[in-house]
Amino acid sequence: MDNYTLTPTPKTPRLYFNSQSGDFEISGRSIPENSIEFYRPLMEWLDNYVTSPSSSTKLTINLEYFNTSSSKCLVEVFRKLEKINDSSEVKIFWHYEEEDEDMQESGDDFRKIIKVPIELVVIKND
Amino acid sequence: MNISTFDIKHKYDLFISKKTIYSYLGSLTQKELDHILERLEAALSNSLSSRLAIKKIYNILVEGVQNIFGYLRNQASSDELLESFVFVNEAEGGYKIITGNFMQKQDIKSIEARIQIVNSLDPDELKDLYRGVLDIGGTSDGGGAGLGFIDMAKKSNGELIYNFDEVDDKHVFFTLEMNVEV
């Protein structure tokens, strides 16, 4: 199956989903008015991916901003990955900037409700 | 009085001061929404030195303005109804964010109920509520996540201050104020 990639815009993130390697990335900003519409093609792609996933699936989330409607879509993305937790080694890396308590807390929120390991990764400011 | 005679400019003028670092008064269309967010970010970058503070305020503003936009988009009525305002004012220990927009009278109850719930909760309870709503999934009546007010309450300190001004038998003007410590 093809990879799913999307270049970032001021309101939407970079999406990089490699079906072969299982390396996934959502980075930048996720503040579209209609998040459901924005994430729909990715959801469909993931529905396909979970039928024959790579042996390991690593999702990197590195967001500067996201709105609450995007957070619901992220939950949906994570739930898709819960489905392959047995057949693929799934791990989510949630990045947050040092001292950005809101973003750290968001990672924590997801960790509490999602049944896939989520590692919080701090980005140090020099 | 009706929407076209309601003096939104007067209402707007009440909030404008030397402490205003960003304000907008006009129609909240899709195009304007994008411009507002761009100009807002530029204004914040010019007046605030801390990147994290900029992030925090921008985040709340995006949520607040998109909350209004999402609501108004679902009201299939006149352009006049889209007239809104947004403020970021310097305040003691941080910033005050103010939004103002027209609303259908019939929606007062549900909006007021949401605000009263988040205002009654302490930070830990807000966190739990946020997680709970996130966990359930789906979308709210407004087409949003149903997390807007919870998120704004979580990120602002203290309660959401709100007011409904009578406009006509179908409409009110809704003002929302939040204090953000940075």
Side-chain angles (χ1 to χ4, degrees):
Chain A
M1 82 185 265
D2 290 338
N3 298 337
Y4 185 76
T5 56
L6 215 55
T7 49
T9 74
K11 286 162 85 176
T12 56
R14 171 180 193 249
L15 297 180
Y16 174 79
F17 283 71
N18 188 318
S19 60
Q20 291 297 312
S21 67
D23 283 324
F24 298 171
E25 184 187 316
I26 300 176
S27 61
R29 298 173 169 203
S30 187
I31 51 170
E33 278 83 49
N34 195 335
S35 301
I36 295 173
E37 210 168 276
F38 173 77
Y39 281 100
R40 185 173 292 131
L42 174 66
M43 299 301 178
E44 287 165 6
W45 187 91
L46 282 169
D47 281 337
N48 202 353
Y49 175 80
V50 297
T51 58
S52 58
S54 170
S55 58
S56 94
T57 303
K58 273 202 299 190
L59 169 60
T60 296
I61 310 269
N62 191 355
L63 289 171
E64 187 186 2
Y65 297 115
F66 65 94
N67 56 12
T68 55
S69 62
S70 292
S71 66
K72 286 250 171 172
C73 294
L74 289 176
V75 167
E76 295 307 311
V77 169
F78 300 158
R79 294 246 151 97
K80 303 262 183 225
L81 301 184
E82 281 179 345
K83 289 183 187 163
I84 52 167
N85 216 359
D86 298 331
S87 50
S88 178
E89 200 183 317
V90 183
K91 195 146 188 191
I92 297 165
F93 297 90
W94 181 271
H95 291 70
Y96 68 95
E97 202 181 339
E98 192 174 18
E99 289 175 25
D100 186 345
E101 290 169 5
D102 291 335
M103 203 50 100
Q104 184 180 5
E105 191 178 302
S106 295
D108 237 3
D109 287 338
F110 288 120
R111 193 150 67 165
K112 294 248 158 63
I113 56 179
I114 301 298
K115 296 179 202 70
V116 165
I118 299 180
E119 189 176 312
L120 301 193
V121 183
V122 59
I123 305 164
K124 298 262 184 201
N125 295 315
D126 293 319
Chain B
M1 190 168 54
N2 57 43
I3 288 175
S4 51
T5 58
F6 179 81
D7 197 352
I8 185 171
K9 178 70 168 64
H10 171 72
K11 195 85 191 150
Y12 171 87
D13 286 342
L14 294 176
F15 293 107
I16 203 142
S17 78
K18 283 180 184 159
K19 295 184 167 179
T20 300
I21 61 169
Y22 174 82
S23 74
Y24 171 82
L25 170 66
S27 189
L28 196 61
T29 58
Q30 174 74 61
K31 205 174 139 208
E32 277 307 317
L33 179 67
D34 290 347
H35 285 161
I36 290 169
L37 295 181
E38 273 170 36
R39 287 192 299 252
L40 171 71
E41 198 176 10
L44 291 177
S45 305
N46 286 334
S47 17
L48 278 76
S49 53
S50 154
R51 234 170 49 76
L52 282 174
I54 295 172
K55 244 176 131 171
K56 189 166 188 125
I57 293 170
Y58 184 73
N59 231 321
I60 297 176
L61 248 311
V62 167
E63 201 59 42
V65 175
Q66 288 187 339
N67 219 15
I68 297 171
F69 181 77
Y71 170 80
L72 293 177
R73 189 179 45 190
N74 291 330
Q75 313 293 320
S77 52
S78 67
D79 283 353
E80 287 170 333
L81 202 69
L82 296 175
E83 290 295 308
S84 312
F85 63 67
V86 180
F87 277 95
V88 180
N89 288 349
E90 276 178 40
E92 209 173 304
Y95 295 86
K96 186 187 269 293
I97 292 169
I98 306 147
T99 62
N101 63 282
F102 289 104
M103 185 179 276
Q104 305 278 351
K105 221 172 210 175
Q106 63 194 35
D107 295 325
I108 292 179
K109 263 191 192 162
S110 77
I111 299 289
E112 196 166 31
R114 281 165 191 240
I115 296 176
Q116 282 173 349
I117 288 170
V118 298
N119 279 352
S120 72
L121 302 177
D122 67 29
D124 283 338
E125 291 169 329
L126 272 175
K127 210 184 278 188
D128 286 344
L129 178 64
Y130 185 91
R131 273 182 197 153
V133 176
L134 196 60
D135 196 11
I136 292 163
T139 55
S140 78
D141 299 343
L147 286 166
F149 286 123
I150 309 174
D151 187 60
M152 287 187 272
K154 234 159 60 94
K155 288 178 179 152
S156 61
N157 307 76
E159 56 181 348
L160 304 177
I161 302 153
Y162 65 99
N163 184 54
F164 296 105
D165 285 308
E166 179 90 18
V167 175
D168 58 26
D169 57 349
K170 286 202 177 70
H171 302 96
V172 288
F173 192 80
F174 171 59
T175 341
L176 183 67
E177 297 177 45
M178 288 156 274
N179 288 302
V180 187
E181 275 174 29
V182 292

